[in-house]
Structure formats: C-alpha cells, structure tokens
Amino acid sequence: MYEVFLSAFVTLFVVIDPPGCAPIYAGLSADASRSQAISMAARACLIASAILVVFALFGARLLGALHIELNAFRIAGGIMLFMIAIDMVFEKRTQRREERAEKIIAHNAETPEIDDVSVFPMAMPMLAGPGSIATIMLLTSRAHGAEQTAAILVAMLAVMLLSFGALAAAGPLMRVLGDKVEAVITRLLGVLLAALAAQYVIDGVKTVLLQ
C-alpha cells in the first residue's frame, strides 16, 4: 500500500506540478486581496479534485463505452505524458502557461468584473488537465482492489493539498525561490516524468504482445 501511495504521489506531483502552477497563479491573482487569493486557490483545488475523482472512479467505464482497450489508453497516455515531460525539460510548458496567463490577465483588464480564475484556467486545465486526468486513470487501472484505489485517491488529495499550499503562498514563494530555482526544479521533474511515461508505454506494449 505504501509503495502504491508513493508511486501515485510522485507521478501526480510531477504531472500537476504545484511549483510550476504557483507563479502562474501569482500573476492571475495579482489584483486580488490576500483573502480572495486564498479563497480562489481553495476553490480551484476542490474543483480539480472532484474532476480527478470522477475520472479515477468512472474513467474505465467511459473507455468501455467508447470501445477503447485499457492497453491502448496506457500507451496513448504514456506518449502524452512523455510530450509533457519534453515540454518541461525545454521549458516550453512554462512558456505556454505564461502566455495563457497573460491572455487571462488581459481579458480581466478589459472586463474587470470577471476576476475569478479558480475554475478556468486554474482548476482546469492547469490542475486537472489532460495529463493529470490520463495519469489518474492509468494509476487506477493498475490498482488491485479497493484499498489500492483508495491509496491512489489519498495520494491525489495529498498532492492537491500541496497545490493549495503552493497557490496560497504563490507570491511569497516566488520571491523566495526565484525564476532560476523554479526552472531547475521543473527540468528535474520533467526528466522523472519522461521515465515514468516510458514505463507506461512499455507496460502497455508488453501486455498487448503477451495476450
């Protein structure tokens, strides 16, 4: 159980990337008060958690309804995660997030009444995006029994708690870490994610060949 929890925690932490989301949220909530920023951070994490729980519990049924084999999803999910890893290593992911944040900030400047970024873009697609949805489905598909599934969900909630902490402390955190430290962390996490993604593809291909 501990190994299942640890594996799920590390994988989801790398994919969701709370340290990478923090500077984006700091920019999006720059005009909000401290209490508003914390409230939006909590709401974003709660909504993202709900989305991931739904896909963790009912994602396999959705695949069945679409006549998609689980091994095909493993391979496709692994390839998708590998692409995310490449973006993290070469900092393209951070660049796209910053561009998305700039668009939202510009839109808020034009329409000041729209200032709640908890649902979009924070909850989805930044926290509960395609990568994290694919990851939670891959993890639960490999779980044996309700106990391992529960361990994966607890790991996901732990990552979301860390995400809330990172978002809530986004401003002070960015002043402490700085851009260079954040870039190093992101690249290290990207290399780890690339290895995990390759393992997903290997597992999927191996299972197909052994059928």
Side-chain angles (χ1 to χ4, degrees), residues 4-208:
V4 173
F5 171 84
L6 185 61
S7 175
F9 178 84
V10 171
T11 305
L12 288 168
F13 184 86
V14 170
V15 174
I16 294 174
D17 188 18
C21 291
I24 304 303
Y25 183 70
L28 291 172
S29 59
D31 295 331
S33 66
R34 180 63 179 163
S35 61
Q36 287 176 330
I38 294 176
S39 176
M40 285 192 295
R43 194 156 51 247
C45 292
L46 286 173
I47 294 171
S49 297
I51 293 171
L52 292 178
V53 167
V54 169
F55 277 96
L57 298 178
F58 305 107
R61 296 181 185 177
L62 177 61
L63 290 181
L66 297 174
H67 304 289
I68 300 174
E69 291 187 6
L70 192 56
N71 291 319
F73 188 80
R74 283 196 181 104
I75 296 171
I79 293 172
M80 185 192 311
L81 293 179
F82 191 79
M83 294 173 66
I84 293 175
I86 291 176
D87 284 351
M88 291 174 69
V89 171
F90 293 101
E91 294 189 327
K92 293 180 180 179
R93 188 187 192 196
T94 302
Q95 181 181 353
R96 279 203 299 269
R97 278 178 166 175
E98 290 175 350
E99 290 174 355
R100 187 185 301 150
E102 289 175 1
K103 290 180 181 178
I104 299 298
I105 292 172
H107 180 67
N108 288 347
E110 296 174 1
T111 56
E113 70 277 2
I114 304 175
D115 57 356
D116 189 349
V117 297
S118 59
V119 179
F120 176 83
M122 290 313 305
M124 194 171 187
M126 287 192 177
L127 294 176
S132 53
I133 290 173
T135 301
I136 197 74
M137 290 179 65
L138 287 170
L139 290 170
T140 52
S141 71
R142 299 169 64 184
H144 300 288
E147 291 184 354
Q148 290 192 1
T149 300
I152 292 169
L153 292 178
V154 171
M156 182 272 292
L157 293 175
V159 173
M160 281 300 167
L161 283 175
L162 289 177
S163 299
F164 169 71
L167 297 183
L173 189 65
M174 288 306 100
R175 286 194 292 270
V176 171
L177 291 179
D179 294 337
K180 292 183 179 179
V181 175
E182 180 200 345
V184 171
I185 294 174
T186 300
R187 288 184 176 183
L188 288 174
L189 293 176
V191 172
L192 179 59
L193 180 59
L196 291 169
Q199 189 62 55
Y200 281 138
V201 175
I202 291 171
D203 291 344
V205 173
K206 187 187 299 182
T207 306
V208 170

